[in-house]
């Protein structure tokens, strides 16, 4: 490990020790908000401290085994222990470096999922419905809650647009790489000649948590419209103007909410989503400025970027951001078995971040 990276690790270990002292301070304990914040930071650094402790133990064991090599009767045993210890030290080196990758403050939070039909007419809407079902199934397997906030069904199934909130610990960290254009190649049910059509849908993953970005929304910049809700919900929903549409005039961002019975509740939900979208827009600006330095454009929020192709005739899924990331497991993936894709993308993103750390002075 480079000396510069070792110094960064040691600084984080010192911060962990400082946090341990702070968490024992009665003044900090009395401040619930501060105590929760420091506890979260401590929990993130604890694995690093445990890794460094294991490294010290392994280095001591290695020194002992090397000393044993001078004894002819213990030489073979010593060589075996040296090989095993060196292998674990090399593995641990990578684990420790992973702790240097800056953690996205939004990773542990919930998110908004937006799926919209793209090119392809009715087939694109049907595919958008397939994608939404895929994510809903994955969320169900993770024990997360999915609440549909708005939906515009397609004429022949699926959705022209669907927006949902997915609530669950770590939801954003698992799904943040899904933003972009998803392409499907298959024979639509309406195709009489058996020809393969190519359609597309866009997915946007927007973190509910703002992280370290502070967005102030000026009420004077908002246009608020009320209207009668549509769809399921009974007579009350359809007879009162409880639905809310909020337009943020400077950015042009429009959000709607009509799932709650009261106008006040719908306004609250719409404002939360508006803030999340403005934070996302700010992050996109920042990341665009750094894009030239990025090798892997995962999680960039670039919705025009084609990230994945679902080929039904071959049962194949190809993620275009990672070389060689192709799975021949399309039916299971569409049933929500996304871990193989998500894990690979997470590892690639971490590898890119580590490469930047090594390159940094």
């Amino acid at each position: 490990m480079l000396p510069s990276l070792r110094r960064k690790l040691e600084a984080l270990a010192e911060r962990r020790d400082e946090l341990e002292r702070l968490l024992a301070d009665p003044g900090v304990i009395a401040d619930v908000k501060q105590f929760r914040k420091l506890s979260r930071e401590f929990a993130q650094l604890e694995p690093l401290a445990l890794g460094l402790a294991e490294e010290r133990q392994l280095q001591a064991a290695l020194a002992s085994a090397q000393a044993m090599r001078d004894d002819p009767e213990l030489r073979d045993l010593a060589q075996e222990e040296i090989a095993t210890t060196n292998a674990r030290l090399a593995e641990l080196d990578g684990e420790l470096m992973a702790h240097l990758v800056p953690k996205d403050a939004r990773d542990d939070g919930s998110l908004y999922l937006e799926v919209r039909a793209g090119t392809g007419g009715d087939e694109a809407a049907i595919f958008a419905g397939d994608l939404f079902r895929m994510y809903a199934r994955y969320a169900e397997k993770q024990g997360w809650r999915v609440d549909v906030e708005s939906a515009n069904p397609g004429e022949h199934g699926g959705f022209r647009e669907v927006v949902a909130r997915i609530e669950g610990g770590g939801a954003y960290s698992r799904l943040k790489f899904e933003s972009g254009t998803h392409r499907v190649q298959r024979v639509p049910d309406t195709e009489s000649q058996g020809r393969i059509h190519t359609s597309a849908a866009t997915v946007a993953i927007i973190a509910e948590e703002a992280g370290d970005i502070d967005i102030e929304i000026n009420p004077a910049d908002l246009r608020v419209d009320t209207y009668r809700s549509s769809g399921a919900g009974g007579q009350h929903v359809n007879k009162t103007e409880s639905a809310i549409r909020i337009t943020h005039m400077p950015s042009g961002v429009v959000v709607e909410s009509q799932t709650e019975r009261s106008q006040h509740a719908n306004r609250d939900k719409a404002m939360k989503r508006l803030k999340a979208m403005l934070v996302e827009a700010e992050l996109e600006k920042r990341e665009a400025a750094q894009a030239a330095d990025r090798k892997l454009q995962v999680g960039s929020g670039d919705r025009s970027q084609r990230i994945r192709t679902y080929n039904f005739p071959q049962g194949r899924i190809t993620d275009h951001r990672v070389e060689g990331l192709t799975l021949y497991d399309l039916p299971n993936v569409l049933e929500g078995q996304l871990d193989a894709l998500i894990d690979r993308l997470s590892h690639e993103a971490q590898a890119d971040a580590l490469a930047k750390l090594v390159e940094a002075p």
Side-chain angles (χ1 to χ4, degrees), residues 23 25-39:
L23 290 170
D25 186 323
V28 173
I29 295 174
D31 186 338
V32 176
K33 184 176 181 180
Q34 179 74 350
F35 184 80
R36 186 183 296 116
K37 177 183 177 182
L38 296 180
S39 295

Side-chain angles (χ1 to χ4, degrees), residues 111-118 124 127-135 160 162-164 166 175-183 200-206 280 284 299-308 310 321 338:
L111 59 93
Y112 293 100
L113 165 68
E114 301 180 354
V115 184
R116 293 181 174 84
F127 179 51
D130 293 340
L131 289 177
F132 177 74
R133 180 175 176 273
M134 176 181 77
Y135 293 124
R160 299 306 306 172
V162 58
V163 177
I166 298 181
L175 291 178
K176 64 183 179 181
F177 300 125
E178 294 301 304
S179 290
T181 298
H182 296 240
R183 185 178 67 169
T202 61
V203 173
I205 302 294
I206 301 171
E280 183 74 9
E284 284 183 19
S300 66
D302 182 359
R303 301 176 197 179
S304 65
Q305 178 191 7
R306 185 191 61 166
I307 64 169
R308 195 174 294 155
Y310 303 72
R321 296 165 292 180
L338 291 169

Side-chain angles (χ1 to χ4, degrees), residues 6-298:
R6 175 63 61 178
R7 287 193 294 272
K8 291 178 182 178
L9 280 175
E10 292 170 352
L12 289 174
E14 291 174 3
R15 173 60 178 167
R16 181 263 178 203
D17 293 340
E18 179 187 9
L19 288 168
E20 187 173 35
R21 292 190 296 271
L22 288 171
L23 290 170
D25 186 323
V28 173
I29 295 174
D31 186 338
V32 176
K33 184 176 181 180
Q34 179 74 350
F35 184 80
R36 186 183 296 116
K37 177 183 177 182
L38 296 180
S39 295
R40 189 180 298 117
E41 186 181 356
F42 179 84
Q44 292 172 358
L45 293 178
E46 183 66 4
L48 180 147
L50 294 175
L52 288 173
E54 182 185 356
E55 185 184 51
R56 289 191 293 270
Q57 293 174 353
L58 289 170
Q59 288 171 342
L62 181 62
S64 177
Q66 289 171 338
M68 287 167 54
R69 285 190 300 186
D70 295 334
D71 188 331
E73 296 181 1
L74 299 176
R75 184 176 296 126
D76 291 343
L77 179 62
Q79 288 295 120
E80 182 179 343
E81 185 171 346
I82 288 170
T84 301
T85 304
N86 277 328
R88 176 54 188 154
L89 280 169
E91 182 181 353
L92 188 58
D93 193 69
E95 294 175 8
L96 288 171
M97 287 182 63
H99 289 294
L100 294 174
V101 177
K103 182 176 174 61
D104 191 330
R106 304 170 299 162
D107 274 354
D108 294 331
S110 303
L111 59 93
Y112 293 100
L113 165 68
E114 301 180 354
V115 184
R116 293 181 174 84
T119 56
D122 291 335
E123 171 63 8
I126 294 171
F127 179 51
D130 293 340
L131 289 177
F132 177 74
R133 180 175 176 273
M134 176 181 77
Y135 293 124
R137 287 290 181 90
Y138 181 72
E140 180 183 349
K141 295 175 189 294
Q142 305 303 311
W144 302 334
R145 178 178 174 178
V146 179
D147 289 325
V148 176
E149 299 211 337
S150 66
N152 180 10
E155 292 184 9
H156 297 280
F159 297 100
R160 299 306 306 172
E161 175 184 282
V162 58
V163 177
R165 178 177 178 269
I166 298 181
E167 178 183 2
Y172 182 73
S173 69
R174 296 300 288 168
L175 291 178
K176 64 183 179 181
F177 300 125
E178 294 301 304
S179 290
T181 298
H182 296 240
R183 185 178 67 169
V184 62
Q185 296 172 327
R186 64 183 174 189
V187 179
D189 293 337
T190 55
E191 171 56 57
S192 59
Q193 302 294 324
R195 292 173 297 187
I196 296 175
H197 288 223
T198 298
S199 304
T202 61
V203 173
I205 302 294
I206 301 171
E208 186 178 58
E209 299 292 330
D212 61 349
I213 296 189
D214 187 20
I215 294 288
E216 292 293 335
I217 300 177
N218 186 346
D221 291 336
L222 302 179
R223 187 180 73 222
V224 180
D225 301 307
T226 60
Y227 59 98
R228 293 184 182 182
S229 300
S230 60
Q235 294 182 354
H236 173 84
V237 169
N238 294 313
K239 288 185 177 180
T240 63
E241 291 197 349
S242 59
I244 289 284
R245 179 185 297 111
I246 299 177
T247 303
H248 184 249
M249 305 302 289
S251 65
V253 172
V254 179
V255 294
E256 298 180 352
S257 180
Q258 59 174 316
T259 57
E260 301 298 325
R261 290 171 62 91
S262 77
Q263 189 180 110
H264 179 74
N266 279 323
R267 183 187 177 95
D268 284 346
K269 292 182 73 171
M271 286 298 295
K272 286 181 180 178
R273 186 165 155 238
L274 173 61
K275 184 173 183 179
M277 293 180 72
L278 293 178
V279 168
E280 183 74 9
E282 175 60 27
L283 283 171
E284 284 183 19
K285 289 180 183 177
R286 295 185 185 185
E287 291 177 349
Q290 302 170 358
D293 298 326
R294 299 181 65 183
K295 296 179 181 178
L296 180 66
Q297 293 289 326
V298 292

